[in-house]
C-alpha cells in the first residue's frame, strides 16, 4: 500500500474515532447496576489495572464481549471474526505474516497478540488508538479486514434473535456503538497472562530455571545486550515507539502516519515479549520468521536508517552459539501455557 493511501486511511480512521467518541457521549445514559462487578484475578507482581468508570466489568458484559469477539456477524460477508486473526491457541495472534480479511484482502501489518491489555494505554503498531474501547472500531470498519460499516454492524445486532436481550442485560440499552465497543473491550481485559515459567521463577520464587535459562536471562538484562532498554516491565515492553533498522526505506511509515513528525518515520510500538515463542512471525510486518533470526537482526544492528533507535546497533562482542541458545531458551520461559489452555476452552 502506498504511503499516501496509508495516510488517508490513518486520517479517515481518526475521523471515525472522533465521531464515535462524540456519539457515545451524546447517546450515553446513566447505567443501572445489573450485577456485582467482576473481579479480575491479578497475577503476582502486577499492579491493579485502571478500568474505565463507564465500562466496569461484569460477567454479563464479558460474556457478551466474548460472544461478539468470536462471531463473524461483524464482518461484511460473515466469514471472519476477531478470533479468526487473534487465535487463542497461539496467544491470540496469527501465524501469517499479514492477516487476510474478507474477500481475500491482505492486511498491511502483522497481527499483534492480545494479552494484558488492561495495562496498556495505546493500541495498534502505531499507537494511534488511545483506548481499548475505540480499538474495536478499527478492524470492524477497515476495508482490508472485516470491512463492515458501523451502521450495518449495529443494524445486524438489533435484528439478531439473541443479541438485543444480551445487550439489555449487560448495558441496559439496545445494541449501539457505545455498548458494542465496551463489550468487546470488557472481554479483552480478562485476557491476562501472568503464570509463565518466568513468573513462577521471578515473582513466585520457584527454583525452576535451568542453567541455560538463567544465563539467557542474565544476558537479556545485561548491558551487553540491553534488550530490557525497550522490553521491560511486567509486559516486557516500555510502550515506546522505536525504529529497529528493519529497512533503509520503510514501505509503512508507522508512527509517522499518526504524528506527522519526520523523526517518527519507521517507528513502531515495542511489542510485548510475553508468549513470544507462540507468536511468530515477528516485527510489524511479519517479515522475520523465527526468534533466532530476530536475535541475529539485533546482533547485526539492523540496516542503516536515520531514525534508527540507538538501542539497535552492531555488537562487536557477539554471542557464541551456546549464548544464543540461552537467550532463546529464556524467551521461551515467557510462554504461559495456562493462559493458552484456559482461553482455548470456549
Amino acid at each position: 500500500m502506498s504511503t499516501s493511501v496509508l495516510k488517508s486511511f490513518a486520517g479517515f480512521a481518526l475521523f471515525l474515532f472522533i465521531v464515535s467518541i462524540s456519539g457515545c457521549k451524546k447517546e450515553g445514559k446513566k447505567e443501572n447496576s445489573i450485577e456485582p462487578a467482576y473481579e479480575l484475578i491479578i497475577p503476582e507482581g502486577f499492579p491493579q489495572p485502571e478500568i474505565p468508570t463507564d465500562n466496569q466489568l461484569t460477567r454479563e458484559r464479558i460474556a457478551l464481549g466474548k460472544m461478539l469477539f468470536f462471531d463473524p456477524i461483524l464482518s461484511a460477508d460473515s466469514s471472519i471474526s476477531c478470533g479468526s486473526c487473534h487465535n487463542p491457541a497461539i496467544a491470540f495472534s496469527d501465524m501469517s505474516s499479514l492477516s487476510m480479511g474478507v474477500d481475500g484482502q491482505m492486511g498491511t501489518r502483522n497481527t499483534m497478540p492480545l494479552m494484558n491489555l488492561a495495562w496498556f494505554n495505546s493500541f495498534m503498531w502505531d499507537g494511534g488508538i488511545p483506548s481499548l474501547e475505540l480499538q474495536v472500531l478499527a478492524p470492524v470498519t477497515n476495508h482490508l479486514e472485516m470491512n463492515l460499516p458501523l451502521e450495518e454492524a449495529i443494524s445486524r445486532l438489533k435484528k439478531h434473535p439473541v443479541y438485543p436481550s444480551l445487550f439489555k442485560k449487560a448495558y441496559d440499552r439496545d445494541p449501539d456503538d457505545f455498548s458494542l465497543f465496551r463489550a468487546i473491550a470488557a472481554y479483552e481485559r480478562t485476557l491476562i497472562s501472568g503464570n509463565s515459567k518466568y513468573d513462577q521463577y521471578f515473582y513466585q520464587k520457584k527454583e525452576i530455571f535451568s542453567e541455560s535459562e538463567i544465563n539467557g536471562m542474565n544476558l537479556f538484562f545485561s548491558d551487553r545486550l540491553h534488550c530490557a532498554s525497550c522490553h521491560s516491565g511486567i509486559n516486557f515492553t516500555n510502550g515506546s515507539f522505536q525504529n529497529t533498522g528493519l529497512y533503509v526505506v520503510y514501505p509503512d511509515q508507522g508512527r509517522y502516519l499518526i504524528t506527522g513528525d519526520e523523526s517518527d518515520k519507521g517507528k513502531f510500538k515495542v511489542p510485548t515479549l510475553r508468549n513470544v515463542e507462540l507468536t511468530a512471525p515477528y516485527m510489524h510486518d511479519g517479515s522475520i520468521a523465527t526468534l533466532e533470526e530476530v536475535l541475529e537482526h539485533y546482533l547485526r544492528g539492523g540496516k542503516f536508517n536515520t531514525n534508527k533507535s540507538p538501542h539497535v546497533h552492531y555488537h562487536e562482542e557477539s554471542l557464541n552459539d551456546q549464548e544464543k541458545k540461552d537467550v532463546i531458551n529464556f524467551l521461551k520461559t515467557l510462554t504461559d501455557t495456562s493462559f493458552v489452555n484456559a482461553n482455548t476452552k470456549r
Side-chain angles (χ1 to χ4, degrees):
M1 182 182 292
S2 68
T3 300
S4 60
V5 172
L6 284 168
K7 286 182 178 178
S8 297
F9 172 72
F12 176 64
L14 180 60
F15 169 76
L16 285 176
F17 297 153
I18 294 172
V19 170
S20 173
I21 293 172
S22 61
C24 290
K25 288 181 178 177
K26 181 179 179 181
E27 296 177 12
K29 63 180 181 180
K30 186 176 181 180
E31 301 172 47
N32 295 324
S33 179
I34 307 300
E35 63 167 311
Y38 175 92
E39 193 167 340
L40 290 174
I41 299 176
I42 309 301
E44 192 169 350
F46 283 51
Q48 283 289 330
E50 292 186 13
I51 308 298
T53 56
D54 63 359
N55 197 23
Q56 292 297 301
L57 301 181
T58 67
R59 293 189 181 280
E60 289 177 340
R61 291 176 176 183
I62 293 165
L64 172 59
K66 183 175 182 178
M67 186 173 175
L68 290 164
F69 187 92
F70 292 103
D71 194 337
I73 193 174
L74 294 178
S75 62
D77 59 3
S78 297
S79 63
I80 62 172
S81 68
C82 303
S84 297
C85 295
H86 296 285
N87 184 348
I90 46 177
F92 291 87
S93 65
D94 188 354
M95 291 186 291
S96 301
S97 295
L98 306 173
S99 298
M100 186 175 293
V102 298
D103 300 322
Q105 295 270 34
M106 192 65 70
T108 60
R109 293 175 181 170
N110 183 250
T111 298
M112 300 191 88
L114 303 181
M115 72 200 82
N116 299 343
L117 300 178
W119 288 274
F120 285 82
N121 55 22
S122 69
F123 302 88
M124 315 298 273
W125 279 105
D126 54 26
I129 302 179
S131 78
L132 195 52
E133 279 72 17
L134 287 178
Q135 186 278 330
V136 176
L137 177 63
V140 172
T141 59
N142 187 339
H143 71 286
L144 296 177
E145 297 185 53
M146 300 167 84
N147 194 30
L148 187 67
L150 183 57
E151 296 79 5
E152 174 61 20
I154 301 304
S155 176
R156 289 185 185 185
L157 295 173
K158 286 182 175 179
K159 295 174 183 176
H160 193 273
V162 175
Y163 276 125
S165 64
L166 296 180
F167 273 88
K168 184 67 73 173
K169 289 178 181 178
Y171 288 96
D172 195 27
R173 57 200 296 155
D174 294 326
D176 60 4
D177 52 357
F178 180 94
S179 49
L180 169 61
F181 297 166
R182 281 158 181 75
I184 294 179
Y187 166 62
E188 291 178 334
R189 284 194 176 92
T190 68
L191 304 178
I192 297 176
S193 178
N195 192 38
S196 66
K197 190 174 183 179
Y198 170 81
D199 295 300
Q200 294 173 41
Y201 176 85
F202 187 79
Y203 294 112
Q204 300 172 31
K205 307 304 179 184
K206 296 180 180 179
E207 297 295 330
I208 55 175
F209 265 21
S210 68
E211 183 179 344
S212 173
E213 290 164 345
I214 291 174
N215 189 45
M217 177 179 67
N218 290 336
L219 285 167
F220 181 93
F221 289 107
S222 71
D223 291 337
R224 182 176 168 191
L225 292 187
H226 52 77
C227 305
S229 296
C230 296
H231 293 288
S232 59
I234 59 169
N235 284 312
F236 285 81
T237 171
N238 61 6
S240 67
F241 301 89
Q242 302 289 335
N243 180 319
T244 62
L246 192 59
Y247 299 106
V248 175
V249 178
Y250 279 74
D252 180 347
Q253 297 290 346
R255 183 71 174 164
Y256 170 77
L257 299 176
I258 303 301
T259 67
D261 188 333
E262 289 287 328
S263 66
D264 282 336
K265 284 188 173 180
K267 289 185 179 180
F268 294 87
K269 188 175 182 180
V270 175
T272 178
L273 294 185
R274 286 190 171 272
N275 295 294
V276 71
E277 176 186 11
L278 306 177
T279 60
Y282 305 103
M283 317 308 275
H284 73 276
D285 57 356
S287 58
I288 300 184
T290 68
L291 285 175
E292 288 78 7
E293 290 174 282
V294 172
L295 181 57
E296 289 294 341
H297 167 78
Y298 287 115
L299 290 175
R300 291 193 304 267
K303 298 176 181 177
F304 171 79
N305 190 287
T306 55
N307 289 337
K308 188 170 68 171
S309 169
H311 301 302
V312 180
H313 58 80
Y314 175 71
H315 288 69
E316 293 184 4
E317 184 186 1
S318 190
L319 304 182
N320 61 40
D321 289 345
Q322 183 58 52
E323 288 173 324
K324 291 176 184 177
K325 289 179 183 178
D326 293 343
V327 173
I328 299 301
N329 286 340
F330 167 67
L331 292 175
K332 290 180 179 180
T333 70
L334 302 179
T335 301
D336 184 352
T337 55
S338 62
F339 169 72
V340 171
N341 292 337
N343 286 290
T344 49
K345 298 174 183 177
R346 300 216 300 268

